Amino acid sequence: QVQLVESGGGLVQAGGSLTLSCAASARISSIYAMGWFRQAPGKDREFVAAISRTGITTRYDDSVKGRFTISRDNAKNTVYLQMNSLKPEDTAVYYCAGAANGRGIWLLKELDFDSWGQGTQVTVSS
């Protein structure tokens, strides 16, 4: 388990953009996969995006595919979530997460992520 701290959340108008950052206390090059989840008021936490250790493979939920981009900078021990064309439905607390082990990014489940940040609020107004 590593410590993760998210930043970059805020209030934006629909159609706008935000970039979230996740700083890790350890070398993320040693973490199998990094991901982003979100939780809207009254709803369960849901998967948003994930990225492999090298950054070559990415995976997105259909609701954000084409609008959000996950990336990682192993030298800075930081993972990012670039969010474009934001919609009010994107309003949620966004959590950064790390999976120490895995058998393939497409097989990862939420329970495979064993390091979690405190979350950062993203609010999209209409």
Side-chain angles (χ1 to χ4, degrees), residues 81-92:
L81 184 68
Q82 175 66 49
M83 305 183 294
N84 299 322
S85 301
L86 284 163
K87 306 174 181 179
E89 302 93 293
D90 295 317
T91 295

Side-chain angles (χ1 to χ4, degrees), residues 32-34 49-60 70-72 104-106:
Y32 180 78
M34 299 292 295
I51 188 168
S52 64
R53 182 178 61 80
T54 64
I56 294 176
T57 305
T58 57
R59 169 190 169 196
Y60 299 92
I70 186 172
S71 62
R72 63 193 298 168
I105 193 168
W106 296 97

Side-chain angles (χ1 to χ4, degrees), residues 2-4 19-36 49-60 68-82 96-102 104-105 108 113-115:
V2 299
Q3 295 180 5
L4 304 172
T19 299
L20 305 183
S21 298
C22 173
S25 64
R27 298 181 183 277
I28 62 172
S29 61
S30 66
I31 302 175
Y32 180 78
M34 299 292 295
W36 289 93
I51 188 168
S52 64
R53 182 178 61 80
T54 64
I56 294 176
T57 305
T58 57
R59 169 190 169 196
Y60 299 92
F68 291 11
T69 302
I70 186 172
S71 62
R72 63 193 298 168
D73 187 337
N74 289 349
K76 295 183 179 294
N77 295 322
T78 303
V79 63
Y80 305 94
L81 184 68
Q82 175 66 49
C96 177
N101 302 287
I105 193 168
L108 287 173
F113 289 86
D114 43 31
S115 298

